[in-house]
Amino acid sequence: MSGRLALGVLASGRGSNFQAIVDEIEAGRLHAEIRVLVVDNPDAYALERAQKHSIPAVHVSPQGFPSKDAFFCAIADELKTRGVELVVLAGFMRIVRKPLIEAYPYRIMNIHPALLPSFPGLHGQRQAVEYGVKISGCTVHFVDEGMDTGPVIIQAAVPVSSDDSEETLSERILRMEHRIFPEAIRLYAEGRLRVEGRVVRIDGYGLRDERVVNPPLR
Ligand code: GAR
């Protein structure tokens, strides 16, 4: 890919992952541009972040459509109109439906706050604390029609202490999310991801390459 990768970001709330992507782009470490931020919630703090960085943002309300499919069709139209090549779900709290998945096959990435396939769905961090696992983490994966079931791109491990609450573990996982999400987008932008079945092959990453599990701190 020669030009900048055109991104469309979907978010529902705080938008710290959105911010991490913006920061990597502005620091010149991610060769991409955000064409649009789409939120499903008019109060999402991500909107203020977009405004601060002069990134176009739109609110698409699910209430304005007769069905979930129609809502996702409208989002797909918005993204296509703006020339988006890769869709990034940065804390977007809805299950993506067929019209968007078919518009962007293997071109939608999601960040999940657990080591999939453990603890899919809502509150991945709470599920990990309640289960008592000693290691959790986060996963960036391509989106398919299931809930958090698509091919895994990068994962990072995070230790869990028996003293952890949902909040303390969430904070520790979030710091790692902010590292691996831009890294996964960078790999895509560099044309280094290949999906074979449900396995994502990363050109230039060896089997024992630690960056796959824990990317380098900058
Ligand atoms: C993040 O922890 C993300 O992994 C999670 O929501 C949070 C959004 O934070 N996403 C999911 O649970 C998706 N099922 P942010 O708005 O600050 O990026």
Side-chain angles (χ1 to χ4, degrees):
M1 237 167 278
S2 50
R4 288 178 169 274
L5 176 68
L7 301 176
V9 179
L10 272 55
S12 298
R14 178 178 58 184
S16 72
N17 277 287
F18 169 60
Q19 185 72 54
I21 296 163
V22 170
D23 291 347
E24 284 297 287
I25 292 172
E26 291 189 351
R29 289 190 291 256
L30 176 56
H31 200 56
E33 62 176 306
I34 301 177
R35 291 280 175 91
V36 66
L37 169 76
V38 178
V39 298
D40 58 349
N41 161 19
D43 300 324
Y45 184 67
L47 283 173
E48 290 185 36
R49 298 181 191 269
Q51 195 176 22
K52 190 164 165 229
H53 293 269
S54 305
I55 294 169
V58 290
H59 168 226
V60 183
S61 169
Q63 273 83 49
F65 298 91
S67 67
K68 287 180 182 168
D69 278 4
F71 168 67
F72 280 103
C73 221
I75 292 180
D77 287 347
E78 182 71 45
L79 297 169
K80 289 279 175 188
T81 302
R82 292 175 189 261
V84 166
E85 296 166 289
L86 179 71
V87 183
V88 171
L89 308 186
F92 184 67
M93 297 306 191
R94 287 175 195 277
I95 297 176
V96 173
R97 306 274 292 216
K98 222 180 191 136
L100 182 54
I101 292 170
E102 288 183 346
Y104 285 94
Y106 296 114
R107 289 191 288 142
I108 307 172
M109 279 185 192
N110 180 45
I111 181 98
H112 182 75
L115 289 178
L116 292 172
S118 291
F119 313 131
L122 289 177
H123 310 301
Q125 307 96 325
R126 186 191 305 170
Q127 293 183 60
V129 167
E130 287 176 356
Y131 198 95
V133 293
K134 301 302 183 204
I135 296 177
S136 189
C138 45
T139 302
V140 183
H141 64 95
F142 283 117
V143 172
D144 63 12
E145 280 181 53
M147 190 171 61
D148 301 324
T149 53
V152 169
I153 302 166
I154 298 191
Q155 294 183 301
V158 171
V160 186
S161 149
S162 51
D163 296 333
D164 266 322
S165 62
E166 180 182 359
E167 289 71 30
T168 58
L169 179 61
S170 297
E171 270 174 38
R172 199 175 309 120
I173 291 176
L174 194 65
R175 286 200 293 275
M176 209 51 113
E177 293 183 37
H178 295 164
R179 288 166 55 187
I180 68 168
F181 210 3
E183 172 76 353
I185 298 167
R186 186 176 304 116
L187 290 169
Y188 185 97
E190 292 171 354
R192 292 167 62 191
L193 301 181
R194 260 181 308 132
V195 183
E196 292 176 10
R198 61 159 303 113
V199 174
V200 178
R201 301 204 182 282
I202 307 177
D203 290 345
Y205 269 24
L207 186 63
R208 300 178 67 83
D209 193 323
E210 286 181 14
R211 286 175 302 171
V212 176
V213 179
N214 286 316
L217 272 172
R218 281 190 209 84

Short mmCIF file of all heavy atoms in Angstrom, two decimals, residues 11-19 46 49 89-94 110-114 120-125 138-139 147-148 170 173-174 177-178, ligand 1:
data_model
loop_
_atom_site.label_atom_id
_atom_site.label_comp_id
_atom_site.label_asym_id
_atom_site.label_seq_id
_atom_site.Cartn_x
_atom_site.Cartn_y
_atom_site.Cartn_z
N ALA A 11 -17.12 3.81 17.50
CA ALA A 11 -16.96 3.81 18.96
C ALA A 11 -18.30 4.10 19.61
O ALA A 11 -19.20 4.67 18.99
CB ALA A 11 -15.93 4.87 19.38
N SER A 12 -18.39 3.71 20.90
CA SER A 12 -19.64 3.97 21.65
C SER A 12 -19.43 4.84 22.86
O SER A 12 -20.40 5.32 23.45
CB SER A 12 -20.25 2.64 22.12
OG SER A 12 -20.59 1.82 21.05
N GLY A 13 -18.17 5.02 23.31
CA GLY A 13 -18.00 5.69 24.59
C GLY A 13 -16.75 6.53 24.71
O GLY A 13 -16.50 7.41 23.87
N ARG A 14 -15.98 6.20 25.74
CA ARG A 14 -14.81 6.99 26.15
C ARG A 14 -13.81 7.25 25.01
O ARG A 14 -13.24 8.32 24.88
CB ARG A 14 -14.16 6.19 27.29
CG ARG A 14 -12.93 6.71 27.88
CD ARG A 14 -12.51 5.78 28.99
NE ARG A 14 -12.29 4.40 28.50
CZ ARG A 14 -11.99 3.37 29.28
NH1 ARG A 14 -11.86 3.54 30.58
NH2 ARG A 14 -11.80 2.18 28.76
N GLY A 15 -13.52 6.23 24.23
CA GLY A 15 -12.67 6.43 23.06
C GLY A 15 -11.18 6.49 23.33
O GLY A 15 -10.43 7.10 22.56
N SER A 16 -10.72 5.83 24.40
CA SER A 16 -9.27 5.89 24.65
C SER A 16 -8.50 5.09 23.59
O SER A 16 -7.37 5.44 23.26
CB SER A 16 -8.93 5.41 26.07
OG SER A 16 -9.09 4.02 26.19
N ASN A 17 -9.10 4.03 23.06
CA ASN A 17 -8.43 3.30 21.97
C ASN A 17 -8.38 4.14 20.69
O ASN A 17 -7.39 4.15 19.98
CB ASN A 17 -9.11 1.95 21.71
CG ASN A 17 -8.63 0.88 22.66
OD1 ASN A 17 -7.51 0.40 22.55
ND2 ASN A 17 -9.47 0.52 23.63
N PHE A 18 -9.46 4.85 20.44
CA PHE A 18 -9.48 5.81 19.32
C PHE A 18 -8.33 6.80 19.49
O PHE A 18 -7.56 7.07 18.56
CB PHE A 18 -10.85 6.50 19.31
CG PHE A 18 -10.97 7.68 18.40
CD1 PHE A 18 -10.76 7.57 17.04
CD2 PHE A 18 -11.31 8.93 18.92
CE1 PHE A 18 -10.89 8.69 16.20
CE2 PHE A 18 -11.44 10.04 18.09
CZ PHE A 18 -11.22 9.91 16.73
N GLN A 19 -8.18 7.32 20.72
CA GLN A 19 -7.12 8.30 20.99
C GLN A 19 -5.73 7.69 20.75
O GLN A 19 -4.85 8.34 20.18
CB GLN A 19 -7.23 8.78 22.45
CG GLN A 19 -6.26 9.87 22.81
CD GLN A 19 -6.65 11.20 22.17
OE1 GLN A 19 -7.76 11.67 22.33
NE2 GLN A 19 -5.72 11.80 21.44
N ALA A 46 -15.70 10.07 22.81
CA ALA A 46 -14.88 9.96 21.59
C ALA A 46 -15.16 11.13 20.64
O ALA A 46 -14.27 11.59 19.93
CB ALA A 46 -15.16 8.62 20.90
N ARG A 49 -12.96 14.01 21.42
CA ARG A 49 -11.59 13.73 20.99
C ARG A 49 -11.46 14.00 19.49
O ARG A 49 -10.48 14.58 19.04
CB ARG A 49 -11.23 12.28 21.28
CG ARG A 49 -11.26 11.90 22.76
CD ARG A 49 -10.85 10.43 22.89
NE ARG A 49 -11.07 9.85 24.20
CZ ARG A 49 -10.17 9.85 25.19
NH1 ARG A 49 -8.99 10.41 25.02
NH2 ARG A 49 -10.44 9.26 26.34
N LEU A 89 -13.13 -1.15 15.18
CA LEU A 89 -14.12 -1.05 16.26
C LEU A 89 -13.37 -0.76 17.56
O LEU A 89 -12.68 -1.63 18.10
CB LEU A 89 -14.91 -2.36 16.40
CG LEU A 89 -15.57 -2.92 15.14
CD1 LEU A 89 -16.44 -4.14 15.50
CD2 LEU A 89 -16.42 -1.87 14.43
N ALA A 90 -13.47 0.47 18.03
CA ALA A 90 -12.72 0.90 19.21
C ALA A 90 -13.71 1.12 20.35
O ALA A 90 -14.14 2.25 20.60
CB ALA A 90 -11.94 2.18 18.88
N GLY A 91 -14.09 0.02 21.01
CA GLY A 91 -15.10 0.13 22.06
C GLY A 91 -16.47 0.39 21.48
O GLY A 91 -17.23 1.21 21.98
N PHE A 92 -16.78 -0.33 20.41
CA PHE A 92 -18.11 -0.23 19.78
C PHE A 92 -18.94 -1.38 20.34
O PHE A 92 -18.63 -2.55 20.11
CB PHE A 92 -17.99 -0.32 18.26
CG PHE A 92 -19.29 -0.14 17.53
CD1 PHE A 92 -19.93 1.09 17.54
CD2 PHE A 92 -19.86 -1.18 16.82
CE1 PHE A 92 -21.13 1.28 16.86
CE2 PHE A 92 -21.06 -1.01 16.13
CZ PHE A 92 -21.69 0.22 16.15
N MET A 93 -19.98 -1.04 21.11
CA MET A 93 -20.65 -2.04 21.94
C MET A 93 -21.87 -2.67 21.27
O MET A 93 -22.92 -2.83 21.90
CB MET A 93 -21.03 -1.41 23.29
CG MET A 93 -19.82 -0.98 24.07
SD MET A 93 -18.64 -2.35 24.29
CE MET A 93 -17.53 -1.68 25.48
N ARG A 94 -21.73 -3.03 20.01
CA ARG A 94 -22.82 -3.71 19.30
C ARG A 94 -22.25 -4.84 18.47
O ARG A 94 -21.10 -4.74 18.02
CB ARG A 94 -23.53 -2.76 18.33
CG ARG A 94 -24.38 -1.78 19.02
CD ARG A 94 -25.00 -0.78 18.08
NE ARG A 94 -25.49 0.30 18.89
CZ ARG A 94 -26.67 0.28 19.50
NH1 ARG A 94 -27.51 -0.70 19.31
NH2 ARG A 94 -27.04 1.28 20.27
N ASN A 110 -11.55 -5.62 15.59
CA ASN A 110 -12.12 -5.30 16.90
C ASN A 110 -11.08 -5.52 17.99
O ASN A 110 -10.23 -6.40 17.86
CB ASN A 110 -13.33 -6.21 17.17
CG ASN A 110 -13.99 -5.94 18.52
OD1 ASN A 110 -14.20 -4.77 18.89
ND2 ASN A 110 -14.30 -6.99 19.28
N ILE A 111 -11.14 -4.72 19.05
CA ILE A 111 -10.30 -4.97 20.23
C ILE A 111 -11.20 -5.51 21.34
O ILE A 111 -12.29 -4.99 21.58
CB ILE A 111 -9.55 -3.70 20.70
CG1 ILE A 111 -8.67 -3.98 21.91
CG2 ILE A 111 -10.49 -2.56 21.02
CD1 ILE A 111 -7.25 -4.21 21.62
N HIS A 112 -10.75 -6.60 21.97
CA HIS A 112 -11.54 -7.21 23.04
C HIS A 112 -10.67 -7.33 24.30
O HIS A 112 -9.53 -7.79 24.21
CB HIS A 112 -12.05 -8.59 22.61
CG HIS A 112 -12.91 -9.23 23.65
ND1 HIS A 112 -14.20 -8.82 23.89
CD2 HIS A 112 -12.63 -10.20 24.56
CE1 HIS A 112 -14.69 -9.53 24.89
NE2 HIS A 112 -13.76 -10.37 25.31
N PRO A 113 -11.24 -7.00 25.48
CA PRO A 113 -10.41 -6.96 26.69
C PRO A 113 -10.29 -8.31 27.40
O PRO A 113 -10.51 -8.44 28.61
CB PRO A 113 -11.15 -5.94 27.56
CG PRO A 113 -12.58 -6.10 27.18
CD PRO A 113 -12.60 -6.45 25.73
N ALA A 114 -9.92 -9.36 26.65
CA ALA A 114 -9.65 -10.69 27.23
C ALA A 114 -8.89 -11.49 26.18
O ALA A 114 -8.80 -11.07 25.01
CB ALA A 114 -10.95 -11.41 27.60
N PRO A 120 -15.61 -14.02 25.99
CA PRO A 120 -16.16 -13.15 24.96
C PRO A 120 -17.33 -12.33 25.51
O PRO A 120 -17.76 -12.53 26.65
CB PRO A 120 -16.66 -14.15 23.90
CG PRO A 120 -17.00 -15.37 24.69
CD PRO A 120 -16.01 -15.42 25.85
N GLY A 121 -17.84 -11.42 24.69
CA GLY A 121 -19.03 -10.66 25.08
C GLY A 121 -18.68 -9.50 25.99
O GLY A 121 -17.55 -9.03 26.03
N LEU A 122 -19.68 -9.08 26.76
CA LEU A 122 -19.49 -7.90 27.61
C LEU A 122 -18.68 -8.25 28.85
O LEU A 122 -18.65 -9.40 29.29
CB LEU A 122 -20.87 -7.36 28.05
CG LEU A 122 -21.71 -6.68 26.97
CD1 LEU A 122 -23.06 -6.27 27.55
CD2 LEU A 122 -20.98 -5.49 26.36
N HIS A 123 -18.01 -7.25 29.41
CA HIS A 123 -17.31 -7.35 30.69
C HIS A 123 -16.27 -8.48 30.72
O HIS A 123 -16.26 -9.29 31.65
CB HIS A 123 -18.32 -7.53 31.83
CG HIS A 123 -19.43 -6.53 31.82
ND1 HIS A 123 -19.21 -5.17 31.90
CD2 HIS A 123 -20.77 -6.68 31.67
CE1 HIS A 123 -20.37 -4.53 31.83
NE2 HIS A 123 -21.33 -5.42 31.67
N GLY A 124 -15.42 -8.51 29.70
CA GLY A 124 -14.36 -9.53 29.66
C GLY A 124 -13.46 -9.48 30.88
O GLY A 124 -13.02 -10.52 31.39
N GLN A 125 -13.21 -8.27 31.37
CA GLN A 125 -12.32 -8.13 32.53
C GLN A 125 -13.00 -8.68 33.80
O GLN A 125 -12.37 -9.39 34.59
CB GLN A 125 -11.95 -6.66 32.76
CG GLN A 125 -11.40 -5.95 31.53
CD GLN A 125 -12.48 -5.18 30.77
OE1 GLN A 125 -13.64 -5.61 30.71
NE2 GLN A 125 -12.11 -4.06 30.18
N CYS A 138 -5.63 -9.02 26.19
CA CYS A 138 -6.50 -8.43 25.18
C CYS A 138 -6.18 -9.04 23.82
O CYS A 138 -5.11 -9.60 23.62
CB CYS A 138 -6.37 -6.90 25.16
SG CYS A 138 -4.69 -6.29 25.22
N THR A 139 -7.15 -8.90 22.93
CA THR A 139 -7.08 -9.53 21.62
C THR A 139 -7.54 -8.55 20.56
O THR A 139 -8.58 -7.90 20.73
CB THR A 139 -8.06 -10.75 21.58
OG1 THR A 139 -7.72 -11.67 22.62
CG2 THR A 139 -8.02 -11.46 20.22
N MET A 147 -19.99 -13.59 17.92
CA MET A 147 -19.61 -12.60 18.93
C MET A 147 -18.17 -12.87 19.36
O MET A 147 -17.89 -13.86 20.04
CB MET A 147 -20.55 -12.68 20.13
CG MET A 147 -20.32 -11.51 21.06
SD MET A 147 -21.56 -11.42 22.35
CE MET A 147 -21.33 -12.98 23.16
N ASP A 148 -17.25 -12.02 18.90
CA ASP A 148 -15.82 -12.14 19.25
C ASP A 148 -15.23 -13.47 18.80
O ASP A 148 -14.39 -14.05 19.50
CB ASP A 148 -15.63 -11.94 20.77
CG ASP A 148 -16.13 -10.59 21.24
OD1 ASP A 148 -15.99 -9.61 20.50
OD2 ASP A 148 -16.68 -10.53 22.35
N SER A 170 -8.97 -3.86 34.51
CA SER A 170 -9.33 -3.14 33.28
C SER A 170 -8.26 -2.11 32.92
O SER A 170 -7.88 -1.97 31.76
CB SER A 170 -10.67 -2.42 33.43
OG SER A 170 -11.69 -3.36 33.64
N ILE A 173 -5.18 -3.90 31.56
CA ILE A 173 -5.43 -4.42 30.21
C ILE A 173 -5.49 -3.28 29.20
O ILE A 173 -4.95 -3.37 28.10
CB ILE A 173 -6.72 -5.27 30.18
CG1 ILE A 173 -6.53 -6.57 30.96
CG2 ILE A 173 -7.13 -5.58 28.73
CD1 ILE A 173 -7.78 -7.43 31.08
N LEU A 174 -6.12 -2.17 29.62
CA LEU A 174 -6.29 -1.05 28.69
C LEU A 174 -4.94 -0.52 28.20
O LEU A 174 -4.78 -0.18 27.02
CB LEU A 174 -7.09 0.08 29.37
CG LEU A 174 -7.62 1.17 28.45
CD1 LEU A 174 -8.65 0.62 27.46
CD2 LEU A 174 -8.25 2.30 29.26
N GLU A 177 -4.00 -2.67 25.51
CA GLU A 177 -4.86 -2.45 24.33
C GLU A 177 -4.31 -1.31 23.49
O GLU A 177 -4.27 -1.39 22.26
CB GLU A 177 -6.30 -2.09 24.76
CG GLU A 177 -7.06 -3.21 25.43
CD GLU A 177 -8.49 -2.80 25.76
OE1 GLU A 177 -9.13 -2.08 24.98
OE2 GLU A 177 -8.99 -3.22 26.82
N HIS A 178 -3.88 -0.26 24.19
CA HIS A 178 -3.41 0.93 23.47
C HIS A 178 -2.12 0.65 22.70
O HIS A 178 -1.77 1.40 21.80
CB HIS A 178 -3.18 2.09 24.46
CG HIS A 178 -4.45 2.55 25.11
ND1 HIS A 178 -4.49 3.32 26.23
CD2 HIS A 178 -5.75 2.31 24.77
CE1 HIS A 178 -5.74 3.56 26.57
NE2 HIS A 178 -6.53 2.96 25.70
C1 GAR B 1 -12.05 -1.30 25.85
O1 GAR B 1 -11.59 -1.93 27.02
C2 GAR B 1 -12.40 -2.32 24.80
O2 GAR B 1 -11.54 -3.43 24.81
C3 GAR B 1 -13.77 -2.72 25.22
O3 GAR B 1 -14.38 -1.53 25.62
C4 GAR B 1 -13.39 -0.63 26.10
C5 GAR B 1 -13.52 0.66 25.33
O4 GAR B 1 -12.67 1.63 25.86
N1 GAR B 1 -14.50 -3.35 24.15
C6 GAR B 1 -15.35 -4.33 24.34
O5 GAR B 1 -15.61 -4.80 25.42
C7 GAR B 1 -15.98 -4.85 23.05
N2 GAR B 1 -16.77 -6.02 23.35
P1 GAR B 1 -12.36 2.96 25.07
O6 GAR B 1 -13.71 3.53 24.66
O7 GAR B 1 -11.66 3.84 26.06
O8 GAR B 1 -11.52 2.61 23.90
#
